[in-house]
Amino acid sequence: MISRLRAIAKKELKQLIRDTRMLFVIFSFPVLLLVIFGYAVNFDVQNIQLGVYDQERSDISREFINSLTSSSYFKVTKTISNYEDIKQTLDKKDAQVVLVLPKDFSHNFFSAKEPAIIQFLIDGVDGNSASIIQNYVNSAVYTFNLKYQKQIVARYGKSLQIPIDLQPIFWFNPDLETTKFLIPGLIALILIVSAVITVALTLVREKEKGTIEQINVSSITTIELLLGKSLPYLIVALINASLILLAGYVMFGVVVKGNYLLLFMSTLIFLFACTSMGILASVISDSQQVAFTIATFVSLLPSVILSGFIFPIDSMPIAVQILTNITPAKFFIVVLRAIILRGAGLEAFWTQLLYLILFSSILLGLATIINKKKTEFNR
Amino acid sequence: MMNSITINNLTKRFGNFTSVDSISFDVKEGEIFGFLGANGAGKTTTIKMLCGILSPTEGDALVAGFSIKKEPNKVKLNIGYMSQRFSLYNDLTVEENINFFGGIYGLNGSRLLERKQWVLKIANLNGKENLLTASLPGGIKQRLALGTAVIHRPKIVFLDEPTSGVDPISRRNFWDLIHNLSSDGITVFVTTHYLEEAEFCNNIILINAGKLIAEGSSKELKTNYLKNDLYEIECSNVVDALEILEVQNFVEETSIFGNNIHISVNRNFSSTQQIESVLLSNKDIKISRVNKIVPTLEDVFIHLLERDKK
Ligand SMILES: Nc1ncnc2c1ncn2[C@@H]1O[C@H](COP(=O)(O)OP(=O)(O)OP(=O)(O)O)[C@@H](O)[C@H]1O
Ligand SMILES: [Mg+2]
């Protein structure tokens, strides 16, 4: 078993190493993507134009506004005094986001019974910026809450009612550094896309050239073939992951707070899930073109939209939230953010890893069954 | 002698198109078996079924004693296969190709080493292990492909048009190799388009449109299937001559062979003068030669295929 698997893997690796053009693409593309994306994202989000409609004008409301503007991410460009003005402000693009603080803001804030309800109206035309702004807002509110929660508890001795009601989604990255925050998502995205596509092409290439027949007629089993094919790409993707992380450090100062071994193991598990996706795509397809299309589609789209990379999963409809489980990126992003940004240990994300292992096994099992069906019956 | 392959009503349909139509025949152990047929006759389809990589729609075959339907994996352990499409990896070196094929057949250590030496020897590639396969001449590549196909010492080897597109000398050398395998006791099942190669086979099957239309040794085919005498005519203006001959009552069949005409004659035929006199009725035709010939396999096959058409 091992010797046949090794024969396949060795051959695949040799072919890959000889294909210098492919190697160049594999290793340069991800880093390039990271740089482009990273800077694009970085530039986009500075100096968000903030309109403020503070109905109460209390100390605490002013302090909340200050907490937003003290970072370089928000800048008050408009002060609003009635509701009609809000619409105008957004229509005329005098602000990208309007904050409304109600009259009872301070009352509810300190009441420890009902949370203070505040409103953010975000210009949704540019969906991408909108969700980034939303992420900022969430983080800012949470940071603010955190700061006051202890004071309130100390003063009233009451339970930990959240002063302002906004779901805390990003409770790490408190200093609101988007780039750092987005890097894990980017890493996951780039890795999954490159791994799935490269693997997807391997088996189908042999189908096109006809060399697969020679393999099928040998005593090799399907699982040996599929694992042997994935293995070299797994190694390549691991090297890629290190390169991206290095680029992340050099370009954007992203430092891994957590354990490197843990990071390595988690990445390996994630990449295994990716190569399993690629193998499945390769097994289903009969031409490189089809395989490429399927691989791009299943790796890129869900990883951007459903992974929580840009759009927070918690704010999606329930049905869509369930759907997010189809992308391994979702789970890896949680793990990466935990390890890189928070320095968390295994206890914080072992369920994610478990899911990834389950995911890989199911996909690989499926690929094995389909490949057997396709080769042993009808060509 | 034992049968190495026993085929029973083997049929393959793709949708409602029948590619192989209920063929049955036996292949004896250690023989060189020629499997002939025109393009699209169903040769590759049959071979794939016999190799256990394509399942038959109907019928079955025993290959090395195992049913291709029920135990395709056991079949695979006992056979080698050189596919019609080129099977080596051009971007690997000679040695890497050998290691790979040895590896997927589970060879390693000293066994792999020994077989590697053997493959290098039969392909004439000693000392050239590190050459990229893409850079090898076609004839050598084919020998290497054959070597890798039998690296695990199978009992039977299937060769699907192994000599197509190779120069005559390389083809000759390749057939020497096939003979060597056969004398080592390996059954060689081979398809080819070159009928002069079929003469090297112990037994031959001819299929057309998926159906078996003739079987036997080359000698048997010539005597059993071609009852009529055969004449070869060398003349000018072949097309006109053919037109004249086709309608004569002493002529059964006509065909063009290179620059010559072959005709088979029936009971109404008396002597070669008959041929000469009808042809000379046309002033443009100059006859240089008319003589009786021993039929080649090609004559037999053309006869059979013509008969099949009717
Ligand atoms: N997977 C398939 N689906 C549909 N038709 C097929 C399939 N494979 C083969 N055929 C058809 O079956 C017929 C026999 O094909 P096959 O390849 O066996 O012929 P062959 O005798 O090997 O021809 P050649 O000398 O050109 O190699 C052809 O008409 C071919 O188009
Ligand atoms: Mg063929």
Side-chain angles (χ1 to χ4, degrees), chain B residues 60-166:
Chain B
D60 199 355
L62 291 180
V63 175
F66 299 105
S67 154
I68 56 168
K69 218 167 191 168
K70 299 190 199 90
E71 311 161 288
N73 288 330
K74 286 197 176 130
V75 169
K76 288 179 189 176
L77 287 176
N78 290 289
I79 59 151
Y81 170 49
M82 187 173 155
S83 75
Q84 181 174 2
R85 298 169 73 184
F86 229 65
S87 51
L88 296 168
Y89 294 94
N90 277 324
D91 50 352
L92 292 184
T93 66
V94 170
E95 182 166 18
E96 285 161 357
N97 262 305
I98 300 175
N99 285 344
F100 172 68
F101 285 105
I104 59 172
Y105 279 106
L107 300 187
N108 48 30
S110 61
R111 261 192 81 205
L112 178 62
L113 218 65
E114 180 216 323
R115 292 303 287 168
K116 192 191 298 180
Q117 288 313 316
W118 179 82
V119 175
L120 287 172
K121 199 184 86 199
I122 65 156
N124 272 332
L125 282 169
N126 269 315
K128 297 182 181 157
E129 295 87 340
N130 294 324
L131 285 185
L132 220 52
T133 307
S135 70
L136 300 176
I140 300 288
K141 255 194 219 174
Q142 244 124 352
R143 295 170 77 90
L144 180 60
L146 176 62
T148 55
V150 295
I151 195 164
H152 54 302
R153 291 182 183 281
K155 293 199 185 94
I156 307 165
V157 63
F158 294 90
L159 309 176
D160 196 355
E161 284 179 38
T163 54
S164 64
V166 181

